[in-house]
Amino acid sequence: MFNKILIANRGEIACRIIKTAKKMGVLTVAVYSDADKDALHVHMADEAIYLGPSPSRESYLLGDNVIAAAIKTGAQAIHPGYGFLSENAEFCRNCATNNLTFIGPPVQAIEAMGSKSAAKSIMEKAQVPLVPGYHGEDQSSAIIKKAADKMGYPVLLKATAGGGGKGMRQVWSETEFKEGLAAAKREAMSSFGDDTMLVEKYLTQPRHVEIQVFCDNHQNAVYLFERDCSVQRRHQKVIEEAPAFKMSEKLRAQMGESAIKSAQAIGYQGAGTVEFLLDVDGSFYFMEMNTRLQVEHPVTEMISGQDLVEWQLRVAAGETLPKTQEQLILNGHAFEARIYAEDANNDFLPATGKLSLLKTPVESAHVRIDTGVRQGDEVSVYYDPMIAKLIVWDESRDKALKRLSKALSEYRINGVTTNIDFLYNLATSSPFIEEDIDTGFIEKNKALIFNDTKKALLNELPIAALYLVLSIEKSAQQSAQQSNDPHSPWHNANAWRLNEAHTHTLVLAHNDVEYRVEVEQKRQGSDAYYLINLDGEQFDCQGTLDNNSMVVNINGHRSHTTIHRNNNHISLFRANGVFNFIHILPDCGQLDSDDNHGGLTAPMNGTMVSVLVNAGEMVSKEQPLIIMEAMKMEHTIKAPSDGKIEEVYFNAGDMVDGGAELLAFSPLEQE
Ligand code: ADP
């Protein structure tokens, strides 16, 4: 076994690898950029080497600097994690040239899977089932179209160099083909500098089922069961589970054996994942092989009881696989939810900011959290905005799913917008519980899983209002106790001052919409209670507030809420999710510009992709004005109302800071 390894990555995966290395008595070297100088992975490692400035192309992607760091510290091997250099054949080759072991597959396996069409040709020869399609070298439009016409529409065009869902386009009919091909080629060229295309039959209700495989360099190969990763947004995974639901032993064995065949066809070693599309009729088709450890590997660890990073280190050090196929036992069910800093209600726009509050559910045999951040850390613009992976296990899918929703409801994050509500809504939705899932799940179940403002309006607004009233009272009581005359009626905040109206109107904003809530204090004997009026609906409310914790009784329904407050930002953590409100004070009639997403300021640091309007132009409400790219995703800035563009401050290609004003806009006067 190695004495010391370098981890060429950051965040949760670097921390995850360090944990196993520590357990095995292997010393670790971390690498870091400016933004990460105090990051968790740097603190956890035995040593750490500075690589360069924050952008990854100036630090984590500089293979030569990473190799130099390994040589300097005497590390014998490099674990690339996922992303960054993990599937970079040149880096893998340079490790070998410098006598360093690359903890991953041999270079030819990375190369073989680097092109989607070359991979398909290899798998075709190895008799692994493929989605019907064309992946030939002749790239003339007529040939590609002929193949599409022959298999029938819909078809899917894919960039052979593609990844991350880019350069992919569905074409629903022959008439759309020409335009679809041109658009897919454009995107492929701008993302990968290569517009070679393949075309496949587009399956309309497939599941994404992938097999974890492991091979050593002693001719042994096993599969560690499957993961279902069908729940995706922008073709990227959101919640993964293992094993896949509705999976017979026979199908599992067939897919497992096909996956091993795929790995062996390219002389694989180490951990790999063979991704398949599973069609409604039980047919499955090879999609691609990822030649690295996957983000979602923990669900496989939970159901197999194996530590895949330990397996990787052992195989890389030349040992045989720790278990044979017969010794591997599938036990229970696991889910992984990816907790991202992003706004699910705003087209999954990545979010940045300081994690002013970060409290996780308690870890146990049932709940595991893989993370690379602590409270007070910053989610920066430079890297993937994943905050953590929440992994749960239990003996059945039902029980594991209950653990997932409970753990999600216990997650407390503030300072950064997260997708926790969205994940909670998804995990508790009936189609998810009932296994009515394919890759179109999110699109199909939009109404169920995106935050319904009305729901918050009726259940949570009275709680937020009650919280504000109780905290006003509390601070009045505290200042009374500190004053010279604690019994002065002027300190009596119970009824909000003598002779003053007993009804107050509070303005609270939720998801950028403002609500007026009327609160009237009442008294019955010695008990104070409140009548809250919201849009004509009456709520009879009582509550006790103790620091961040409030017990409320609304119309006879008693429940518990944890609150986090940061000035006028109030977050309610409830059993059914997190609800964020802004208390609008009378003298600041509008939302903070920070929270005014989709306004005319840049939502975050990024690049201007295109400016769609000119100074002097009249625009209508919701008209797209500017397209920005931030954290590898495009975001469209739209007109907030009908109006006139007075001035445009940036051009396409410019870098802009988050919060910068992008253009001057005058709304049209209402008549
Ligand atoms: P990338 O490498 O860009 O992530 P993949 O080839 O892995 O692209 O496909 C990503 C996702 O796109 C899959 O998980 C699946 O949801 C969908 N997909 C890919 N190929 C097809 C197909 N032929 N029919 C239907 N959906 C597909």
Side-chain angles (χ1 to χ4, degrees):
M1 186 44 60
F2 312 108
N3 292 323
K4 196 191 264 189
I5 62 169
L6 180 141
I7 296 126
N9 216 302
R10 63 176 301 283
E12 70 85 18
I13 193 62
C15 298
R16 158 77 194 85
I17 296 162
I18 293 169
K19 272 189 196 157
T20 289
K22 278 203 166 135
K23 183 184 83 181
M24 297 173 72
V26 175
L27 295 169
T28 52
V29 183
V31 286
Y32 65 96
S33 67
D34 282 334
D36 280 341
K37 61 182 189 304
D38 283 319
L40 187 58
H41 75 281
V42 174
H43 282 256
M44 282 175 68
D46 296 299
E47 296 166 68
I49 298 284
Y50 172 73
L51 285 180
S54 308
S56 38
R57 62 181 178 283
E58 295 172 41
S59 48
Y60 295 106
L61 288 173
L62 294 177
D64 290 348
N65 292 18
V66 172
I67 287 174
I71 293 169
K72 182 173 170 185
T73 52
Q76 298 143 311
I78 299 186
H79 195 309
Y82 54 72
F84 293 144
L85 298 165
S86 61
E87 288 172 293
N88 184 317
E90 190 191 333
F91 176 71
C92 176
R93 197 176 283 116
N94 290 345
C95 284
T97 319
N98 287 284
N99 281 327
L100 292 162
T101 304
F102 178 78
I103 304 177
V107 71
Q108 74 273 12
I110 299 179
E111 274 167 348
M113 293 296 109
S115 152
K116 285 186 197 289
S117 49
K120 286 188 87 169
S121 300
I122 296 171
M123 295 309 156
E124 200 167 29
K125 269 198 213 120
Q127 294 181 322
V128 175
L130 299 179
V131 189
Y134 170 78
H135 49 269
E137 277 174 19
D138 189 336
Q139 283 289 304
S140 76
S141 307
I143 292 274
I144 302 176
K145 181 166 180 300
K146 205 166 143 202
D149 290 347
K150 194 167 153 217
M151 72 187 129
Y153 293 85
V155 299
L156 185 66
L157 292 162
K158 280 188 191 176
T160 62
K166 285 196 170 163
M168 269 187 2
R169 198 144 233 100
Q170 297 152 18
V171 179
W172 291 89
S173 68
E174 193 184 339
T175 50
E176 284 175 20
F177 186 87
K178 196 172 161 205
E179 197 190 314
L181 181 66
K185 274 180 172 283
R186 258 198 321 272
E187 197 172 300
M189 192 46 111
S190 79
S191 300
F192 316 109
D194 176 355
D195 65 359
T196 315
M197 285 288 147
L198 62 84
V199 63
E200 277 176 4
K201 179 89 195 139
Y202 181 69
L203 309 180
T204 49
Q205 280 183 289
R207 286 163 61 189
H208 173 122
V209 176
E210 57 183 36
I211 311 286
Q212 175 71 55
V213 293
F214 240 104
C215 308
D216 62 20
N217 41 8
H218 307 279
Q219 313 293 317
N220 301 307
V222 296
Y223 62 90
L224 291 100
F225 320 110
E226 74 283 351
R227 298 183 282 259
D228 190 305
C229 313
S230 301
V231 178
Q232 302 179 347
R233 54 148 176 73
R234 300 169 184 265
H235 298 298
Q236 299 296 299
K237 299 157 186 169
V238 176
I239 293 189
E240 302 97 344
E241 60 182 291
F245 48 88
K246 296 181 190 157
M247 174 65 93
S248 68
E249 279 304 327
K250 189 171 159 217
L251 184 56
R252 171 169 298 132
Q254 279 174 351
M255 292 183 80
E257 279 150 25
S258 272
I260 288 184
K261 226 196 275 178
S262 314
Q264 285 172 334
I266 55 168
Y268 205 76
Q269 278 166 33
T273 294
V274 183
E275 296 188 334
F276 291 105
L277 285 174
L278 176 60
D279 209 353
V280 268
D281 64 358
S283 321
F284 61 91
Y285 307 101
F286 172 88
M287 201 163 28
E288 65 174 350
M289 178 165 185
N290 289 321
T291 53
R292 56 173 158 80
L293 191 67
Q294 299 270 97
V295 176
E296 59 275 21
H297 76 276
V299 287
T300 299
E301 297 187 320
M302 300 299 262
I303 60 154
S304 66
Q306 305 301 313
D307 178 335
L308 298 191
V309 175
E310 180 179 339
W311 280 46
Q312 285 190 296
L313 262 59
R314 294 202 180 285
V315 167
E319 295 181 23
T320 51
L321 292 179
K323 299 262 181 214
T324 62
Q325 192 67 58
E326 292 67 39
Q327 288 169 333
L328 286 165
I329 293 162
L330 194 168
N331 179 26
H333 203 101
F335 286 95
E336 174 183 283
R338 299 188 187 191
I339 298 185
Y340 276 104
E342 67 181 15
D343 186 355
N345 291 314
N346 193 2
D347 208 12
F348 299 100
L349 176 73
T352 54
K354 190 174 172 160
L355 295 158
S356 59
L357 173 77
L358 176 60
K359 262 180 128 173
T360 67
V362 179
E363 289 197 67
S364 66
H366 293 278
V367 177
R368 162 175 166 182
I369 290 152
D370 282 15
T371 190
V373 290
R374 299 149 296 189
Q375 182 164 300
D377 283 354
E378 195 86 20
V379 179
S380 79
V381 70
Y382 300 107
Y383 314 112
D384 185 87
M386 190 165 74
I387 297 170
K389 302 187 309 205
L390 169 65
I391 305 114
V392 296
W393 177 92
D394 212 319
E395 55 196 22
S396 67
R397 186 176 193 270
D398 266 9
K399 286 186 180 171
L401 195 47
K402 288 206 179 82
R403 293 214 181 256
L404 178 65
S405 48
K406 181 164 181 285
L408 283 166
S409 74
E410 289 167 355
Y411 230 109
R412 310 263 182 269
I413 296 182
N414 220 332
V416 179
T417 307
T418 74
N419 65 342
I420 296 176
D421 296 21
F422 166 79
L423 293 170
Y424 180 88
N425 294 345
L426 204 162
T428 52
S429 70
S430 47
F432 192 76
I433 296 170
E434 287 156 19
E435 305 172 353
D436 182 8
I437 303 171
D438 59 52
T439 56
F441 182 87
I442 291 179
E443 188 57 33
K444 239 180 276 174
N445 296 291
K446 267 188 196 158
L448 282 176
I449 53 183
F450 287 94
N451 241 350
D452 180 355
T453 321
K454 282 215 182 84
K455 188 180 81 181
L457 185 113
L458 283 182
N459 296 322
E460 275 66 32
L461 265 166
I463 299 177
L466 187 62
Y467 164 74
L468 279 171
V469 171
L470 294 177
S471 53
I472 293 167
E473 279 185 9
K474 218 170 189 140
S475 52
Q477 279 162 6
Q478 277 162 359
S479 49
Q481 275 157 12
Q482 285 157 8
S483 84
N484 295 334
D485 180 9
H487 303 292
S488 161
W490 296 106
H491 297 309
N492 180 5
N494 289 347
W496 295 346
R497 301 275 153 90
L498 294 169
N499 301 328
E500 217 182 272
H502 288 198
T503 302
H504 281 248
T505 302
L506 300 169
V507 182
L508 286 160
H510 177 79
N511 281 351
D512 294 349
V513 181
E514 290 183 16
Y515 301 93
R516 293 169 70 79
V517 189
E518 280 172 12
V519 187
E520 186 182 353
Q521 196 192 39
K522 297 271 190 186
R523 191 165 281 282
Q524 199 167 41
S526 60
D527 283 349
Y529 70 100
Y530 301 87
L531 264 188
I532 290 185
N533 191 317
L534 182 64
D535 255 1
E537 191 127 357
Q538 288 260 342
F539 299 84
D540 210 351
C541 306
Q542 268 183 312
T544 45
L545 178 64
D546 186 10
N547 290 324
N548 291 335
S549 173
M550 188 165 76
V551 176
V552 291
N553 190 322
I554 296 194
N555 290 345
H557 182 172
R558 190 175 185 274
S559 64
H560 187 267
T561 299
T562 304
I563 296 122
H564 186 263
R565 180 175 185 171
N566 189 356
N567 297 320
N568 58 338
H569 291 234
I570 299 156
S571 299
L572 305 185
F573 296 100
R574 306 265 305 151
N576 55 333
V578 193
F579 298 86
N580 296 309
F581 297 98
I582 300 167
H583 178 206
I584 311 282
L585 299 166
D587 57 344
C588 68
Q590 56 178 12
L591 300 184
D592 293 0
S593 60
D594 272 8
D595 299 287
N596 206 355
H597 291 308
L600 304 176
T601 50
M604 56 174 47
N605 295 2
T607 316
M608 299 284 281
V609 175
S610 46
V611 179
L612 308 167
V613 287
N614 296 310
E617 201 171 312
M618 299 302 293
V619 293
S620 47
K621 188 174 174 180
E622 294 289 306
Q623 182 177 332
L625 307 178
I626 280 173
I627 299 176
M628 275 189 69
E629 191 189 78
M631 293 164 113
K632 297 189 192 137
M633 281 195 210
E634 284 191 357
H635 179 65
T636 306
I637 314 280
K638 294 179 182 163
S641 62
D642 293 351
K644 185 178 174 193
I645 306 297
E646 300 291 351
E647 211 174 330
V648 182
Y649 300 125
F650 293 93
N651 296 313
D654 289 350
M655 297 281 292
V656 284
D657 290 336
E661 208 170 331
L662 299 174
L663 43 76
F665 174 78
S666 317
L668 211 61
E669 295 287 322
Q670 298 287 332
E671 275 161 35

